[in-house]
Amino acid sequence: QVQLVESGGGLVQVGGSLRLSCTLSGRIDWNYEAWFRQPPGKEREFVAGIALNGLGVLYRDSVKGRFTISRDNARTTIYLLMDSLEPKDTAVYYCAVGKAGSTRASDYDYWGQGTQVTVSS
């Protein structure tokens, strides 16, 4: 019954913005919430993460200053606001929950099915 569902992906032009959402349900014990992405033909990579208390925010270097991770007060939904999008941001984006402060996919226990983000030049 554990479920994570992403939404908000789509096609956007270079320089545009998108906001991704991930809704969590079921009995989940977690310390940390994160977004990962998998570009075409590449490995899954960490994008951003946040602890349940709003601390411990992490971003990969290539998205710093452009992406913002956040959560709602009920801690059932996490968001990723993406500004100044570039073609290299094109990927399937996944939300996940797991070990606090980790940037490794293997430290996350639950995953959504992903949402496609395509940035057109």
Side-chain angles (χ1 to χ4, degrees), residues 23 25-26 30-31 54 93 101 106 112 114:
T23 299
S25 63
W30 67 81
N31 303 114
Y93 283 71
S106 60

Short mmCIF file of all heavy atoms in Angstrom, two decimals, residues 23 25-26 30-31 54 93 101 106 112 114:
data_model
loop_
_atom_site.label_atom_id
_atom_site.label_comp_id
_atom_site.label_asym_id
_atom_site.label_seq_id
_atom_site.Cartn_x
_atom_site.Cartn_y
_atom_site.Cartn_z
N THR A 23 3.07 13.05 -4.21
CA THR A 23 2.18 12.76 -3.10
C THR A 23 2.50 11.39 -2.53
O THR A 23 2.59 10.41 -3.28
CB THR A 23 0.71 12.83 -3.54
OG1 THR A 23 0.42 14.13 -4.02
CG2 THR A 23 -0.21 12.51 -2.37
N SER A 25 1.62 8.26 0.23
CA SER A 25 0.53 7.63 0.97
C SER A 25 0.96 6.26 1.46
O SER A 25 1.95 5.70 0.99
CB SER A 25 -0.72 7.51 0.10
OG SER A 25 -0.49 6.68 -1.02
N GLY A 26 0.20 5.74 2.42
CA GLY A 26 0.55 4.46 3.03
C GLY A 26 1.41 4.65 4.26
O GLY A 26 1.79 5.76 4.62
N TRP A 30 10.14 7.32 7.13
CA TRP A 30 11.23 7.91 6.38
C TRP A 30 11.91 9.03 7.17
O TRP A 30 11.32 9.61 8.07
CB TRP A 30 10.75 8.45 5.03
CG TRP A 30 9.82 9.62 5.13
CD1 TRP A 30 10.16 10.93 5.32
CD2 TRP A 30 8.39 9.59 5.02
NE1 TRP A 30 9.03 11.72 5.35
CE2 TRP A 30 7.93 10.92 5.16
CE3 TRP A 30 7.46 8.57 4.81
CZ2 TRP A 30 6.58 11.26 5.11
CZ3 TRP A 30 6.11 8.91 4.76
CH2 TRP A 30 5.69 10.23 4.90
N ASN A 31 13.15 9.31 6.82
CA ASN A 31 13.92 10.39 7.40
C ASN A 31 14.16 11.53 6.42
O ASN A 31 14.38 12.67 6.84
CB ASN A 31 15.27 9.88 7.89
CG ASN A 31 15.16 8.75 8.87
OD1 ASN A 31 15.57 7.62 8.59
ND2 ASN A 31 14.61 9.05 10.04
N GLY A 54 12.65 20.11 7.41
CA GLY A 54 13.00 21.20 6.52
C GLY A 54 14.47 21.54 6.47
O GLY A 54 14.88 22.41 5.69
N TYR A 93 11.90 12.23 -13.97
CA TYR A 93 12.13 12.65 -12.60
C TYR A 93 11.36 11.76 -11.65
O TYR A 93 10.17 11.48 -11.84
CB TYR A 93 11.72 14.11 -12.41
CG TYR A 93 12.71 15.09 -12.98
CD1 TYR A 93 12.88 15.22 -14.35
CD2 TYR A 93 13.52 15.86 -12.15
CE1 TYR A 93 13.82 16.10 -14.88
CE2 TYR A 93 14.45 16.74 -12.66
CZ TYR A 93 14.59 16.86 -14.03
OH TYR A 93 15.52 17.73 -14.55
N GLY A 101 19.92 12.56 4.47
CA GLY A 101 21.13 13.20 3.98
C GLY A 101 21.90 12.45 2.91
O GLY A 101 23.02 12.84 2.58
N SER A 106 20.71 3.98 -3.76
CA SER A 106 20.61 2.74 -3.01
C SER A 106 20.17 2.95 -1.57
O SER A 106 19.78 1.98 -0.90
CB SER A 106 21.94 1.99 -3.04
OG SER A 106 22.97 2.76 -2.46
N GLY A 112 8.59 6.62 -6.63
CA GLY A 112 7.48 6.80 -7.53
C GLY A 112 7.80 6.23 -8.90
O GLY A 112 8.90 5.74 -9.15
N GLY A 114 7.77 7.95 -11.73
CA GLY A 114 8.46 8.93 -12.54
C GLY A 114 7.53 9.79 -13.37
O GLY A 114 6.43 9.38 -13.73
#
